[in-house]
Amino acid sequence: MSIKQILCSPVGLRLKVLHVVRIVIAAIGRIFFSLYYGNEGQKIPPITDEILKEPTIEVAKKIRNKEISSVQVVEACIRRIKDVNSALNCFVEDRFELALKEAREADELIRSGSTPIQQLELEKPLLGVPFTTKDCFAVKGLRFTSGVVLRKDFVSEEDAGAIRLLRDKGAIIIGITNVPELCMWWETHNHIYGRTNNPYNTTRIVGGSSGGEGCLQAAGGSIFGVGSDIGGSIRMPAFFNGIFGHKPSRGIVPNSGQHPAPETDLIDSFLGVGPMTKHAVDLKPLLKIMAGDNKNKLKLDEPVNIEKLKVYYQFSNDAPLVDPVDPEIIMAMKKVLEFLNVQHKLKAEEKKIDLLRKSMPIWLTNMKTKQKFETLIMKKEGVGAILKEIVKNIIGCSGNTLISLFTALTDHTGAEVGSERHIHYLKVRENLEKLFTEMLGDDGIFLYPVHPTPAPYHNEPLLRPMNFAYTAIINCLGLPTTAIPLGLSREGLPIGIQVVANHNNDRLCLAIAEELDKAFGGWVEPQKS
Ligand SMILES: *[C@@H]1O[C@H](CO)[C@@H](O)[C@H](O)[C@H]1NC(C)=O
C-alpha cells in the first residue's frame, strides 16, 4: 500500500495503520530505553520504623492511647524522607518545624486529659497524624507551583478545601510532593524540582500527576496522602507505586484551592480529590472526612454485602494507539475473578463495551476549553511562541518540559469548543455515562485495568502517550473508582486493577479494595527482597 493510498483511505483503516506504526516505534523505543536506563537503578534503605508501615487509623489510635507520641511519628516520617529522597526525589517542600510544633500541641492535648479520649476520637479522629499532598494543592505558607517555573515563588495564603477538612480533624501536614508541569502529564518531571523515580526501580516512572505522592507513600515516608485525578492522576501513581488510591464520585470532595482550577462545571465534574494510602482500611475514614458535608450522600457506613454484588469486567478497551494490556495484568484480573467466585460465589460477566474504544477522543474533546494551554505555562501566546520554546528546550534552556510544549501545540489542533465534532463527543460521553449507570445500578461493580503496562522507563510515556485511556474515561463519567495493588510483576514492578461503581456508590469500591487487600497482600515494601 502506498503512502497516498493510506492517506486517502477511510478513517478506520488509517487508524489501524497508525496503530501498527506506533506499536513498532514503541517496541523499538523500548529496546532503546532499556539500553539507556537498564542499569540496576539506585537502592533505597529498608523501612526501620515499624510505625511507618501501619494503617493511618492504627497510627491515630496509638497516638490517642499514648502508645506513641505524635512527635515520634512526625520524626519517623522526617527521618524516612531524608533517607529516601536523594534516590527518589519525590518530596519537594517541607514544613517540618511547624509540623513538630503542631505534634507537640497534639501530644499535650492528649496528655492533659482535658478532653475525654472518646470525644477526641469523634472530634479529631486524625489527631497528631502526619500526612502529605501534591504540589497542586494550596497549603498555607508553602510554595504552590504545580511544577510551573512561572509560579516558582508563589506562596499559598490559605489551605485548599480538602486539606483544611483534614487539618480540622487533627491531621498534621509535613510537606508537599512533586508533580508534572501543570499536572498535565503522567510522568512526574518539571524544571523546578526535576524528575521523580520509582521506589521499586528507580529507572522507572512514578506516574502522574500525583506521582511524588504515590512514590512517597509507597516508600513509607508519610502516613497518608492526598491526590487529585482528572485523567488518572491518583490511580496511575497508585498503580505504578503499588498503593491504594480512590477517585471519588463527582461533586463530593471540594476541588477548591487547586492549580490549575477546572474551568467549566463539566471539567470540574471530571476532577476528583481523594486519599492515597498503603492500606485499604484507611480509604473510607479519610474519604468521610474529605467529603465534608457531602459525606451523607455516600452512606459510607451502610454495610456492603459482597455476595450480593453484580460483577462486570472488561480486559481491554481495544482502542487504537493504546498498548495491549500486559499478560501479567490480565492474569492478576483473572485471579481476582476467581477469588470472588470461590470466596463469594460471584459469577462475573464479561463486557465488551464498544464505546470504550473511543475513550481518548471522548476525554480529549470533552476537556477542551476556550483557554489555550500555553497561557498557563508561558508568558507568550501562539504557535510561533511554542515552536520557539521547543527549540529552546532542545538546547536545554527552556523552563518548560518538552511534553508540555507538545501538549500546548496539540491544543491548537482538534475540535474547537462549540464545533460539530465537539458537540458530537459531548453527546457520546453522555451516552456512555447512561450505559454505565444502567449497567451498574445500585449493586454493580466494574473491574478494569488501571493502565495497560507496569511502570515504563523514564521518558518512555512519550512513545505511549495514549495509555492513560483506561483511567481517563472513568473521569468523564464522574464515577467513583479505586486503584488496588495486586502484588509485583516478574520484573518486580507493582501491578493491579481498578474497580468502578455507580455514582455515590464509592462504598462498593472501598469494600472490594479492603477484601482484595486481605486476599492479595496489598502494599509491599519496595526493594525488600
Ligand atoms: C531495574 O530495572 C533494570 C532494567 O529493567 C534491571 O536491570 C534492574 O535489575 C532493576 N532493578 C531492581 C532493583 O529490580
Side-chain angles (χ1 to χ4, degrees):
M1 200 183 284
S2 73
I3 300 277
K4 188 167 170 220
Q5 272 172 317
I6 292 169
L7 291 178
C8 301
S9 59
V11 178
L13 188 63
R14 249 184 301 167
L15 263 181
K16 271 194 192 124
V17 173
L18 207 59
H19 184 58
V20 172
V21 170
R22 195 208 60 84
I23 286 192
V24 171
I25 294 175
I28 296 169
R30 178 87 198 173
I31 298 170
F32 202 78
F33 283 111
S34 73
L35 290 173
Y36 189 79
Y37 292 109
N39 49 28
E40 260 293 287
Q42 270 174 282
K43 284 263 168 280
I44 60 168
I47 301 175
T48 47
D49 289 296
E50 290 301 312
I51 195 73
L52 298 177
K53 299 180 185 171
E54 293 194 27
T56 304
I57 49 174
E58 289 302 318
V59 175
K61 200 194 282 172
K62 285 188 172 165
I63 292 174
R64 271 197 306 274
N65 293 339
K66 297 192 276 256
E67 288 170 55
I68 191 165
S69 69
S70 170
V71 167
Q72 284 172 315
V73 182
V74 172
E75 281 175 346
C77 290
I78 296 173
R79 265 197 304 277
R80 183 65 182 161
I81 290 168
K82 290 182 174 166
D83 277 352
V84 298
N85 211 39
S86 60
L88 304 180
N89 191 36
C90 54
F91 187 85
V92 295
E93 171 132 311
D94 78 81
R95 60 188 297 281
F96 292 156
E97 288 312 314
L98 288 169
L100 283 166
K101 178 170 167 281
E102 288 165 21
R104 282 191 292 273
E105 285 162 9
D107 287 334
E108 185 46 40
L109 178 61
I110 295 163
R111 232 186 338 254
S112 73
S114 61
T115 316
I117 291 291
Q118 294 83 345
Q119 195 182 332
L120 274 185
E121 186 179 350
L122 274 176
E123 289 170 3
K124 300 220 177 266
L126 296 176
L127 186 60
V129 179
F131 77 107
T132 41
T133 192
K134 68 196 284 201
D135 182 11
C136 76
F137 282 99
V139 176
K140 189 176 174 186
L142 292 192
R143 288 208 285 169
F144 175 27
T145 76
S146 210
V148 177
V149 169
L150 289 180
R151 290 174 60 90
K152 77 178 174 4
D153 298 317
F154 190 99
V155 174
S156 304
E157 280 167 13
E158 55 188 325
D159 290 335
I163 303 301
R164 180 78 338 240
L165 286 164
L166 289 161
R167 294 182 78 179
D168 284 345
K169 297 293 179 195
I172 297 175
I173 183 144
I174 54 176
I176 52 175
T177 51
N178 207 16
V179 294
E181 186 175 15
L182 203 66
C183 289
M184 280 301 175
W185 185 232
W186 52 280
E187 160 148 34
T188 291
H189 169 227
N190 61 61
H191 286 182
I192 303 175
Y193 302 114
R195 193 183 300 284
T196 301
N197 300 321
N198 192 297
Y200 293 84
N201 191 321
T202 55
T203 70
R204 313 301 171 109
I205 69 163
V206 290
S209 62
S210 318
E213 196 56 48
C215 172
L216 185 65
Q217 292 305 320
S222 159
I223 303 299
F224 71 90
V226 175
S228 55
D229 185 324
I230 200 166
S233 285
I234 288 175
R235 288 160 292 154
M236 281 187 284
F239 170 78
F240 291 138
N241 296 284
I243 60 163
F244 294 84
H246 181 68
K247 184 206 80 74
S249 295
R250 67 182 166 213
I252 295 291
V253 177
N255 275 333
S256 63
Q258 289 182 78
H259 183 83
E263 246 188 279
T264 62
D265 287 346
L266 181 67
I267 293 177
D268 188 71
S269 79
F270 295 0
L271 178 62
V273 174
M276 300 175 73
T277 64
K278 292 182 283 295
H279 301 280
V281 285
D282 291 333
L283 296 172
K284 189 158 89 177
L286 291 174
L287 178 59
K288 204 190 263 180
I289 293 170
M290 294 164 77
D293 293 337
N294 284 329
K295 66 171 185 285
N296 297 332
K297 292 186 189 158
L298 302 184
K299 297 190 242 114
L300 288 169
D301 290 325
E302 206 169 273
V304 174
N305 188 348
I306 293 187
E307 246 104 287
K308 292 262 160 61
L309 293 181
K310 295 203 174 65
V311 183
Y312 306 97
Y313 66 97
Q314 185 160 329
F315 286 127
S316 162
N317 62 16
D318 294 319
L321 308 184
V322 175
D323 275 315
V325 179
D326 188 289
E328 285 193 87
I329 294 172
I330 304 251
M331 187 62 85
M333 273 181 85
K334 285 186 176 159
K335 282 194 190 140
V336 168
L337 294 171
E338 190 189 316
F339 165 80
L340 292 174
N341 182 256
V342 172
Q343 281 298 308
H344 298 288
K345 300 177 206 64
L346 288 170
K347 291 220 185 338
E349 184 184 325
E350 182 164 12
K351 287 281 169 185
K352 295 245 162 75
I353 300 168
D354 199 41
L355 269 185
L356 288 174
R357 280 198 307 118
K358 300 256 185 249
S359 294
M360 281 327 294
I362 297 174
W363 187 84
L364 288 167
T365 316
N366 276 270
M367 282 287 288
K368 276 269 179 188
T369 61
K370 295 216 166 88
Q371 182 172 37
K372 282 282 171 259
F373 186 86
E374 76 260 25
T375 59
L376 295 168
I377 57 167
M378 295 166 47
K379 284 201 182 123
K380 296 206 174 111
E381 270 182 62
V383 174
I386 301 169
L387 290 173
K388 206 161 130 199
E389 203 61 35
I390 289 180
V391 174
K392 277 170 75 183
N393 179 287
I394 291 167
I395 57 173
C397 53
S398 168
N400 301 114
T401 56
L402 193 58
I403 186 66
S404 282
L405 295 169
F406 281 147
T407 308
L409 262 192
T410 50
D411 196 30
H412 284 269
T413 66
E416 289 289 329
V417 172
S419 66
E420 210 175 300
R421 184 178 157 86
H422 185 247
I423 292 163
H424 168 73
Y425 276 109
L426 294 181
K427 189 81 199 139
V428 174
R429 190 210 67 78
E430 274 174 35
N431 292 343
L432 187 61
E433 181 177 325
K434 190 151 170 282
L435 189 154
F436 262 85
T437 53
E438 279 168 9
M439 169 179 84
L440 291 167
D442 56 12
D443 56 358
I445 56 166
F446 180 65
L447 304 179
Y448 198 45
V450 184
H451 199 83
T453 73
Y457 292 106
H458 293 299
N459 283 316
E460 211 187 344
L462 290 169
L463 297 183
R464 307 168 188 275
M466 299 301 172
N467 277 1
F468 68 107
Y470 284 91
T471 43
I473 194 63
I474 310 298
N475 295 80
C476 292
L477 309 178
L479 298 170
T481 164
T482 309
I484 301 173
L486 296 170
L488 305 181
S489 72
R490 277 193 308 272
E491 283 187 297
L493 300 170
I495 52 175
I497 55 161
Q498 64 178 322
V499 53
V500 182
N502 211 343
H503 297 120
N504 296 352
N505 266 353
D506 301 52
R507 65 182 188 287
L508 306 188
C509 307
L510 304 181
I512 293 292
E514 288 185 39
E515 197 64 16
L516 297 183
D517 190 359
K518 279 182 247 155
F520 290 80
W523 166 77
V524 286
E525 189 183 334
Q527 301 191 18
K528 195 62 198 286
S529 51

